Amino acid sequence: QKEVEQNSGPLSVPEGAIASLNCTYSDRGSQSFFWYRQYSGKSPELIMFIYSNGDKEDGRFTAQLNKASQYVSLLIRDSQPSDSATYLCALSYNTDKLIFGTGTRLQVFP
Amino acid sequence: EPEVTQTPSHQVTQMGQEVILRCVPISNHLYFYWYRQILGQKVEFLVSFYNNEISEKSEIFDDQFSVERPDGSNFTLKIRSTKLEDSAMYFCASSDFRASYNEQFFGPGTRLTVL
């Protein structure tokens, strides 16, 4: 069973702080990793993807991948109240489906 | 910016009835997907579709489900005889898989309520 694990949260951070969201996965064959943001009652919105070990930065977001430890994370710098949402980690193998974690709820308070 | 669209936004039906959920994928994408999300649970893969045929389906996607691309723009999910447990948000997604790393873009979803 291929699993994606996330802490459900909520993770509460003050405005302007760095939010760190973590995800572990069970299958070393995983190839690509995705972070989606989902506001309540809305659809998943792609934030970024990563497929190589190391860091990938896009604006206030940084994804980090460590395949040896089977770990992927998302850092959000200068967190804003509008970042309050559920963050979904997803991965794909050599097939085309995405496997999602249950998501981590982030709350950014003013 | 191109986006995936879905209709209707909310569908209420009686148990045992057939429903058809409709999606218009992003125009230059070749790979289409349906996912569902039961309230409070994770997003689950149902089926993927490429070149007018199913490329992969999950255990959830049993004989009650079918997909179709009836024309050059629409992609539909049919549930033949709905059950109470089919109540969920259904998301359509599309990607240009082979050209990138399977970035899938989701539509706004259809909330299906089975009574």
Side-chain angles (χ1 to χ4, degrees), chain A residues 3 5 23-30 33 53 65-72 91:
Chain A
E3 296 287 345
E5 299 290 337
C23 172
T24 58
Y25 59 95
S26 60
D27 193 321
R28 290 186 179 274
S30 306
F33 304 85
N53 276 326
L65 175 60
N66 184 325
K67 289 190 176 182
S69 300
Q70 296 175 241
Y71 175 96
V72 59
L91 56 81

Side-chain angles (χ1 to χ4, degrees), chain B residues 10-114:
Chain B
H10 191 188
Q11 175 87 49
V12 180
T13 189
Q14 296 290 326
M15 189 170 57
Q17 295 297 304
E18 175 183 287
V19 294
I20 298 176
L21 310 183
R22 292 182 168 81
C23 167
V24 179
I26 294 173
S27 63
N28 62 339
H29 284 184
L30 302 177
Y31 298 82
F32 315 120
Y33 313 86
W34 285 101
Y35 293 83
R36 79 170 186 192
Q37 186 176 32
I38 295 170
L39 187 63
Q41 299 187 23
K42 68 172 72 173
V43 177
E44 299 176 290
F45 169 78
L46 292 178
V47 66
S48 58
F49 191 86
Y50 168 68
N51 199 26
N52 282 322
E53 61 182 27
I54 291 173
S55 52
E56 186 172 0
K57 59 183 181 180
S58 71
E59 293 175 352
I60 303 168
F61 194 88
D62 61 21
D63 291 344
Q64 294 299 312
F65 292 87
S66 63
V67 290
E68 190 178 34
R69 187 156 165 84
D71 54 44
S73 59
N74 290 283
F75 179 50
T76 63
L77 174 68
K78 181 192 293 186
I79 310 175
R80 287 188 185 79
S81 178
T82 50
K83 306 181 184 68
L84 295 176
E85 55 265 37
D86 293 328
S87 295
M89 281 289 286
Y90 287 80
F91 296 112
C92 174
S94 70
S95 78
D96 191 13
F97 177 35
R98 297 294 186 256
S100 63
Y101 289 90
N102 196 17
E103 301 147 80
Q104 296 184 19
F105 297 91
F106 283 69
T110 293
R111 180 174 300 282
L112 177 64
T113 302
V114 182

Side-chain angles (χ1 to χ4, degrees), chain A residues 11 13-20 60 74-79 106:
Chain A
L11 173 66
V13 300
E15 185 173 357
I18 296 175
S20 178
R60 296 188 296 115
L74 179 70
L75 301 178
I76 307 175
R77 288 181 298 280
D78 188 24
S79 296
L106 173 66

